[in-house]
Amino acid sequence: MASIREVAKLAQVAPSTVSRALNSSGYVAEETREKIKAAVAELDYVPNQWIRNLYRQSTGIIGVVAPGLIHPFFSSLWNHLELELRKFGYNMMLCSTGGDEQREREYLDTLERNLFDGVIDGAAVLPDENYAKLEKPIVFLDRIVPGIPVVSSDHRQGGELAAKKFLECGCRKVLHTVGDRQYRLQSHEGDDALDRYLQEHGVETIREEVSWDDTTDYASCYKLTKKLLTAHPDVDGVLASDLQAAAFLKAAASLGIDMPGKLNIIAYDGTFVTDFNSTTPTAIVQDVRTIARQTVAVLLKRINGQQLAQDQIVVPITLVEGETTNRTSFKAK
Amino acid sequence: MASIREVAKLAQVAPSTVSRALNSSGYVAEETREKIKAAVAELDYVPNQWIRNLYRQSTGIIGVVAPGLIHPFFSSLWNHLELELRKFGYNMMLCSTGGDEQREREYLDTLERNLFDGVIDGAAVLPDENYAKLEKPIVFLDRIVPGIPVVSSDHRQGGELAAKKFLECGCRKVLHTVGDRQYRLQSHEGDDALDRYLQEHGVETIREEVSWDDTTDYASCYKLTKKLLTAHPDVDGVLASDLQAAAFLKAAASLGIDMPGKLNIIAYDGTFVTDFNSTTPTAIVQDVRTIARQTVAVLLKRINGQQLAQDQIVVPITLVEGETTNRTSFKAK
DNA sequence: ATGAAAGCGCTAACAG
DNA sequence: CTGTTAGCGCTTTCAT
């Protein structure tokens, strides 16, 4: 790896002149420029970007903290984030915590101590105070902490869309799986909205708290869903994330439950995995691309020191009708 | 961000002493150590890791070049790679090329010019000569280039396992999808082995070349498989990657083809997505975890300047019997 | 238009 | 045991 000094020596100029020529900053005589160009070619000189970063105090790398890479919703989110960051000349360092506190802490530490330009935390599971001392521009996904910008789907809308669909289908008892409630997440709004709306309309709801494994690992999902369907035989509506919904579908079939006659299932997320099923589920679809776009937009504003109009950004969500909910409802009249 | 000099000043010692105290390299009097500790605490000093890297000429970050993050086989591979790298104290920077040459080139360039400790390229689609000048320790996945270590599944074994199964099922005409053949990939061995074995036993085979999209995007998969099944109505065996296999299954069902009576399907990869189907496919399962482990092992050897026993490492592969191949074959007698 | 010199924040070699 | 000095590879004044 040739250094700038070697180039300078060969071109018989000072290192600073080479620097200027290469960055086209400041004046360099055409003749000198030529000599330098020749020397660069001869030595196959490539400036060490790392060192440049040292001066610029920036690397063009954004750290992304993820709970996992396999879950279809997240893998597709990271994919879109990468594309979006690339658009603005940034690279992405992807860190996966597996939902573990300690690992998140370690990663945040690494990201803080290195010259990363910013952080996107999609796996924030630490108490609020841990985030207070972070100096880097940061954006959260879903997790709400005062003073930190957060991007997420409009889960309240998602919950309501699902609730309305269940009502249309004439459901009387709806079960939905919810995550841990220890910290404030935007997605909790969805659970609350669902319950509120359904209960206002006289429909019973059951919340079933599930672990991260139960939403990520299909085998766990399947075991869980079978258990739930057995424990609550009178449930006629289910809202659960894609994988779980797929598992519910399979489990219900194996239990001989008539669908969608006796059981309406709505999948939350609407990633590509729902396509596999022989029956296409009705799904609440998150707009991953827009989430990625907004997240990057917010982060860049932070990096450039601009003010944000709002700390919380919610992205609209849609319901896509499939075959797992009753079409012959009174809505269709 | 306090610097080491500020700490030194506050503790009334030289920066180098602080450095020694913090790295516990060299002698520091207990008393001095205390003073320094106090100063560090007072200023909330955190050493700038980035700068340290400059001296160590290493960052602890490995660049991973991926064709994509969504495809289940890859997302699970990146996940395991991350875990494995973490085990050895490394972080992973994940770059996704979408299979694009230009993007691979750009990423390799970035990785070379920055202080990454090594590169794992799972999306190598450039002509061989592009890799000759790479100076960083590198490992390829699947792609074979002389002089560069490569890790992959034992696809030859995979091809043969599939072939034997098709024979057992009494297939007479087997279709399999293959990728681009422009460069040498270990996975081509699988296609070749399948053809060879089947043809030796008098079974006709059809290769169908497919694009990256046709293996990644489910909608594309489905369109493709429907077309193929219509074009080759007499095919009684199909080998295709998970997503495609799922699509074949759905397409065949929609065309009213009797399965597995008239059509035996084997899914290649065996990722979690195959679980979703109401029918569990027979699958050739890649051992992602071992691939990840071997890849990291090879890379670390390279980083530490150790010799490799061999340039090509192949990881055993297995066939898992499912419901999409005929069990009542003459093997069962 | 060019070069010398200072410095980014830290470490390592060497005196003392 | 501790401080001084030099330097990682580059950029950026500031003279000339």
Side-chain angles (χ1 to χ4, degrees):
Chain A
M1 277 261 273
S3 80
I4 199 171
R5 242 186 299 261
E6 302 177 50
V7 176
K9 196 177 291 176
L10 187 61
Q12 311 199 54
V13 294
S16 47
T17 308
V18 178
S19 173
R20 253 169 301 159
L22 263 43
N23 298 294
S24 26
S25 59
Y27 302 94
V28 179
E30 195 47 50
E31 200 186 345
T32 320
R33 192 182 297 276
E34 288 305 324
K35 278 199 297 186
I36 291 174
K37 202 185 281 179
V40 165
E42 165 122 19
L43 293 172
D44 231 342
Y45 170 70
V46 182
N48 184 331
Q49 189 62 41
W50 202 261
I51 303 288
R52 286 182 158 169
N53 296 336
L54 180 58
Y55 290 82
R56 312 222 160 118
Q57 290 289 318
S58 127
T59 56
I61 301 179
I62 302 294
V64 176
V65 185
L69 311 184
I70 297 184
H71 190 288
F73 172 71
F74 287 115
S75 69
S76 125
L77 182 53
W78 312 140
N79 197 69
H80 285 289
L81 267 183
E82 207 254 3
L83 289 174
E84 193 63 19
L85 285 171
R86 250 182 70 81
K87 228 186 259 174
F88 295 96
Y90 285 94
N91 284 129
M92 168 176 93
M93 180 164 128
L94 195 47
C95 312
S96 165
T97 68
D100 184 71
E101 288 195 27
Q102 193 47 39
R103 275 161 73 186
E104 188 200 347
R105 209 171 260 128
E106 280 172 31
Y107 275 131
L108 285 179
D109 204 54
T110 316
L111 294 171
E112 271 293 295
R113 292 162 64 133
N114 284 286
L115 244 44
F116 292 95
D117 290 359
V119 177
I120 295 169
D121 194 345
V125 294
L126 300 171
D128 284 17
E129 57 269 27
N130 282 270
Y131 304 110
K133 56 182 113 170
L134 295 182
E135 300 187 340
K136 291 264 157 81
I138 192 166
V139 181
F140 278 179
L141 296 171
D142 208 33
R143 169 72 182 273
I144 300 168
V145 172
I148 299 181
V150 55
V151 176
S152 75
S153 285
D154 187 343
H155 291 296
R156 175 181 314 210
Q157 186 195 13
E160 282 178 7
L161 283 172
K164 282 176 191 161
K165 174 54 69 181
F166 284 129
L167 279 180
E168 271 177 41
C169 298
C171 295
R172 302 304 306 156
K173 187 166 183 178
V174 172
L175 181 150
H176 58 130
T177 57
V178 301
D180 183 69
R181 282 242 159 197
Q182 192 171 4
Y183 301 113
R184 270 192 77 198
L185 301 187
Q186 188 64 43
S187 48
H188 294 334
E189 298 281 329
D191 299 317
D192 295 345
L194 181 83
D195 281 351
R196 197 183 320 119
Y197 198 98
L198 287 178
Q199 284 163 16
E200 274 170 9
H201 291 77
V203 175
E204 189 182 345
T205 65
I206 305 175
R207 283 191 181 202
E208 197 60 43
E209 188 165 323
V210 297
S211 68
W212 169 248
D213 268 0
D214 286 336
T215 77
T216 311
D217 178 57
Y218 188 79
S220 306
C221 281
Y222 189 69
K223 210 178 296 171
L224 174 81
T225 54
K226 205 144 186 178
K227 201 187 72 191
L228 290 178
L229 285 178
T230 315
H232 306 283
D234 53 342
V235 157
D236 53 10
V238 161
L239 176 68
S241 64
D242 285 353
L243 261 64
Q244 288 170 350
F248 267 114
L249 215 60
K250 201 165 173 177
S254 87
L255 291 171
I257 298 175
D258 170 38
M259 289 180 295
K262 288 279 186 204
L263 183 64
N264 295 275
I265 297 177
I266 300 181
Y268 207 95
D269 281 356
T271 61
F272 68 99
V273 300
T274 57
D275 296 334
F276 298 153
N277 288 288
S278 26
T279 40
T280 310
T282 295
I284 304 285
V285 182
Q286 298 200 53
D287 182 355
V288 182
R289 208 158 142 192
T290 304
I291 295 176
R293 194 166 295 171
Q294 293 277 21
T295 305
V296 171
V298 170
L299 187 64
L300 293 186
K301 273 192 188 152
R302 278 246 136 160
I303 289 176
N304 299 322
Q306 293 168 45
Q307 272 300 311
L308 300 175
Q310 65 234 319
D311 257 11
Q312 288 189 31
I313 290 186
V314 290
V315 174
I317 208 166
T318 50
L319 184 142
V320 174
E321 183 98 32
E323 304 163 334
T324 58
T325 47
N326 220 332
R327 277 168 176 282
T328 60
S329 56
F330 52 74
K331 172 205 172 194
K333 250 202 300 275
Chain B
M1 276 258 274
S3 80
I4 198 172
R5 242 186 300 261
E6 301 177 51
V7 176
K9 196 177 289 176
L10 187 61
Q12 311 198 54
V13 293
S16 48
T17 308
V18 178
S19 172
R20 254 169 301 158
L22 262 42
N23 297 294
S24 28
S25 59
Y27 304 95
V28 179
E30 194 47 50
E31 199 185 346
T32 319
R33 193 181 296 277
E34 288 305 325
K35 277 198 299 186
I36 290 173
K37 202 185 281 180
V40 165
E42 164 122 20
L43 293 173
D44 230 341
Y45 170 69
V46 182
N48 184 332
Q49 190 62 40
W50 202 260
I51 302 290
R52 286 180 159 173
N53 296 337
L54 180 58
Y55 290 84
R56 312 221 161 121
Q57 291 290 316
S58 129
T59 55
I61 302 179
I62 302 293
V64 176
V65 184
L69 311 184
I70 298 183
H71 189 289
F73 172 71
F74 287 115
S75 70
S76 126
L77 181 52
W78 312 140
N79 197 70
H80 285 288
L81 267 182
E82 207 255 4
L83 288 174
E84 193 64 19
L85 285 171
R86 249 182 71 82
K87 228 186 257 173
F88 295 96
Y90 286 93
N91 284 130
M92 169 176 90
M93 179 164 128
L94 196 45
C95 313
S96 167
T97 68
D100 184 70
E101 289 195 25
Q102 192 47 37
R103 272 160 75 184
E104 188 200 348
R105 208 171 261 128
E106 281 173 30
Y107 275 131
L108 285 180
D109 204 55
T110 316
L111 294 171
E112 272 292 294
R113 292 162 65 135
N114 283 286
L115 245 45
F116 292 97
D117 291 359
V119 177
I120 295 170
D121 193 346
V125 295
L126 299 172
D128 284 18
E129 56 269 26
N130 282 271
Y131 303 111
K133 55 184 118 176
L134 296 181
E135 301 187 338
K136 292 265 157 81
I138 191 166
V139 181
F140 277 1
L141 297 170
D142 207 32
R143 168 73 182 272
I144 300 168
V145 172
I148 299 181
V150 54
V151 176
S152 74
S153 285
D154 188 344
H155 291 296
R156 176 181 314 210
Q157 186 195 13
E160 282 178 7
L161 284 170
K164 282 176 190 161
K165 176 52 72 185
F166 284 129
L167 279 180
E168 272 177 40
C169 297
C171 295
R172 303 304 306 156
K173 189 166 182 178
V174 172
L175 182 149
H176 58 129
T177 56
V178 301
D180 183 65
R181 281 242 157 195
Q182 193 172 4
Y183 301 112
R184 271 193 75 198
L185 300 186
Q186 188 64 42
S187 48
H188 294 334
E189 298 279 331
D191 299 318
D192 295 345
L194 181 82
D195 281 351
R196 197 184 319 119
Y197 198 97
L198 287 178
Q199 284 163 16
E200 274 171 9
H201 290 76
V203 174
E204 190 183 344
T205 65
I206 304 174
R207 284 190 180 202
E208 196 61 44
E209 188 165 324
V210 297
S211 69
W212 169 248
D213 268 1
D214 286 335
T215 77
T216 312
D217 177 56
Y218 188 78
S220 306
C221 282
Y222 189 67
K223 211 180 293 173
L224 173 81
T225 55
K226 207 145 185 177
K227 201 187 70 189
L228 290 178
L229 286 177
T230 315
H232 307 282
D234 52 341
V235 157
D236 53 10
V238 162
L239 176 68
S241 64
D242 285 354
L243 261 65
Q244 288 169 352
F248 267 114
L249 215 61
K250 202 165 174 179
S254 87
L255 292 172
I257 298 175
D258 170 38
M259 289 179 296
K262 288 281 185 202
L263 183 64
N264 294 275
I265 296 176
I266 301 181
Y268 207 96
D269 283 355
T271 60
F272 69 98
V273 298
T274 57
D275 297 334
F276 298 154
N277 288 289
S278 24
T279 41
T280 310
T282 296
I284 304 285
V285 182
Q286 298 201 53
D287 182 354
V288 182
R289 207 157 143 194
T290 304
I291 295 177
R293 195 166 295 169
Q294 292 277 21
T295 305
V296 171
V298 169
L299 187 65
L300 293 185
K301 274 192 188 151
R302 279 245 133 163
I303 289 176
N304 299 322
Q306 293 168 45
Q307 272 300 312
L308 300 175
Q310 65 235 319
D311 258 12
Q312 288 188 31
I313 290 185
V314 289
V315 174
I317 208 166
T318 50
L319 184 143
V320 175
E321 183 97 33
E323 304 163 333
T324 59
T325 46
N326 219 333
R327 277 168 176 281
T328 61
S329 56
F330 52 73
K331 173 205 172 192
K333 253 201 299 270

